Amino acid sequence: MYCKSTAKPYWTCYNHVEQFITEVYKAEDFRMKDINHQFISRFESVPEKSFRFHIQ
């Protein structure tokens, strides 16, 4: 069982990464082995306010 303070940041990040993959790579999924420095840099450069998912 997870406490709410752990689950909220996890799901917020999960939804942001999912949206990022959908919009940037036009894909529904992304293989873990394909995550590299370029992927992380591109993800980090997206302003947080541009993500539509925020867990309350």
Side-chain angles (χ1 to χ4, degrees), residues 10-40:
Y10 169 81
W11 286 111
T12 298
C13 183
Y14 177 93
N15 289 327
H16 289 181
V17 171
E18 182 179 50
Q19 181 183 345
F20 173 76
I21 291 169
T22 301
E23 292 178 6
V24 174
Y25 293 96
K26 309 293 188 231
E28 293 183 16
D29 203 1
F30 202 83
R31 297 184 313 182
M32 288 289 288
K33 72 179 198 171
D34 293 334
I35 294 176
N36 55 23
H37 185 266
Q38 179 185 10
F39 177 94
I40 295 167

